[in-house]
Amino acid sequence: MPKLIFFDIDGTLWDDNMQMPESTVPALKALQKNGHKIFLCSGRARGNIRDPRLLDIGFDGIVAACGNHIEYHGKVVYEKLVTPELTKKVVELLRICHMPVVLEGPEYHWIDEKGFEDDPYVLYLFKEMGQSAKILQGYTEDIRINKFSGDLLPDTDYERIKRELGDVFEFLVHEGNVVEFVPKGTSKATGIAWLCSYLHVDREDTYAVGDSVNDLDMLGYVGHGIAMGNGTAPAKEAAEYVTADIHRDGIRYAMEHYKLL
């Protein structure tokens, strides 16, 4: 029976320097040769999944933006966007509350010019996305986003943000004082569930590999959740199996452990 196998990107397929072990791509190709379907499953919005080293592998599909954008064989089959009214409120509120923001959409990202001077990830976004990374000048009607992220600064009024947005967004706090805002009721797990229904695949025939806080729902939902050896403690606790570190061929070992290779 063919399986659906979902892979987080950062900390799973490649490390913080976007370096991928030599064993990873052959393992992914072998999974497909054995009849399984492989998917990227990332917190990144689709606009920030464009590196040829990933896309040229030939994944069967992409679950992006924590389940709010889904593609299958190059076609968008599901899209959930933040409403224009709510997007406008987010832009205005975060500016008042001194939280620099990255608005993350399926084609473009809109990024605050100030507040990210020491953030290497934002520098990476401008380099990686080119003209698809735009300076945020305030709310405009062309902004289409699935989610957004912000940095906690010493003067950020985080309590007000939580009061005014807590009913509609989940707040995922990452290392480095980064907060990821995901629409309530959506996650990598809901994206996988939607795709399973779309493809008529039983949940027991799904596998997922991840390493961090926004992988917890995914690891708990699939039939077989796998945490990377370099993953966080919560990810390891949520997983059925903990594989080796990324640079100790963790992907290959996990697939061999489940006899998928």
Side-chain angles (χ1 to χ4, degrees), residues 8 11-12 208-220 225-243:
D8 173 53
T12 299
V209 191
D211 73 299
S212 67
V213 63
N214 69 3
D215 296 320
L216 300 183
D217 287 347
M218 170 179 80
L219 295 175
I226 302 161
M228 297 299 291
N230 50 278
T232 62
K236 292 177 180 178
E237 290 169 6
E240 176 182 85
Y241 175 70
V242 179
T243 187

Side-chain angles (χ1 to χ4, degrees), residues 8 32 61 65 76-77 86 111 176 187 199 210 251 253:
D8 173 53
Q32 290 178 310
V76 177
V77 292
L86 184 53
I111 305 170
S187 66
L199 296 176
I251 295 294
Y253 279 126

Side-chain angles (χ1 to χ4, degrees), residues 3-9 12-14 19-41 51-61 207-210 226 228 246 249-256 260-261:
K3 313 298 183 184
L4 304 187
I5 310 167
F6 299 86
F7 297 91
D8 173 53
I9 297 174
T12 299
L13 290 177
W14 64 25
Q19 298 301 308
M20 194 180 301
E22 291 184 6
S23 64
T24 298
V25 174
L28 296 173
K29 295 285 191 181
L31 290 170
Q32 290 178 310
K33 187 176 180 180
N34 288 347
H36 307 304
K37 297 183 184 298
I38 60 172
F39 297 84
L40 289 172
C41 192
D51 194 306
R53 291 174 296 169
L54 290 174
L55 298 181
D56 289 353
I57 291 170
F59 286 90
D60 294 282
Y207 297 72
V209 191
I226 302 161
M228 297 299 291
I246 184 171
D249 303 318
I251 295 294
R252 190 189 73 197
Y253 279 126
M255 299 302 100
E256 289 175 346
L260 298 171
L261 293 181

Side-chain angles (χ1 to χ4, degrees), residues 66-83:
C66 292
N68 289 284
H69 175 101
I70 302 174
E71 296 178 14
Y72 184 61
H73 288 169
K75 177 184 176 182
V76 177
V77 292
Y78 177 82
E79 184 90 83
K80 180 174 182 179
L81 297 170
V82 179
T83 66

Side-chain angles (χ1 to χ4, degrees), residues 69-226:
H69 175 101
I70 302 174
E71 296 178 14
Y72 184 61
H73 288 169
K75 177 184 176 182
V76 177
V77 292
Y78 177 82
E79 184 90 83
K80 180 174 182 179
L81 297 170
V82 179
T83 66
E85 295 78 14
L86 184 53
T87 302
K88 185 174 187 290
K89 177 179 178 179
V90 165
V91 171
E92 293 174 351
L93 176 65
L94 268 58
R95 186 147 294 181
I96 292 169
C97 294
H98 301 105
M99 173 179 271
V101 65
V102 178
L103 303 175
E104 305 167 40
E107 297 94 12
Y108 300 97
H109 282 21
W110 289 262
I111 305 170
D112 266 325
E113 187 171 19
K114 296 182 179 179
F116 288 124
E117 291 82 0
D118 299 321
D119 192 320
Y121 181 68
V122 170
L123 296 176
Y124 158 77
L125 286 179
F126 281 114
K127 179 180 178 181
E128 177 73 9
M129 296 185 65
Q131 294 184 350
S132 295
K134 300 174 177 287
I135 298 293
L136 179 63
Q137 304 286 1
Y139 175 75
T140 53
E141 292 183 354
D142 64 319
I143 295 176
R144 299 174 67 251
I145 63 170
N146 307 105
K147 58 187 283 286
F148 61 97
S149 301
D151 276 8
L152 288 169
L153 304 180
D155 62 343
T156 298
D157 189 350
Y158 190 41
E159 292 305 312
R160 179 175 175 182
I161 293 169
K162 288 192 287 186
R163 284 198 308 273
E164 298 202 22
L165 297 180
D167 288 342
V168 286
F169 291 101
E170 298 287 353
F171 295 42
L172 305 177
V173 181
H174 297 266
E175 293 180 7
N177 293 321
V178 175
V179 183
E180 185 178 14
F181 296 82
V182 180
K184 274 195 181 285
T186 68
S187 66
K188 292 182 180 183
T190 64
I192 292 172
W194 190 95
L195 196 53
C196 284
S197 176
Y198 181 77
L199 296 176
H200 307 290
V201 173
D202 190 83
R203 177 174 170 181
E204 180 60 26
D205 292 320
T206 60
Y207 297 72
V209 191
D211 73 299
S212 67
V213 63
N214 69 3
D215 296 320
L216 300 183
D217 287 347
M218 170 179 80
L219 295 175
Y221 174 80
V222 295
H224 308 281
I226 302 161

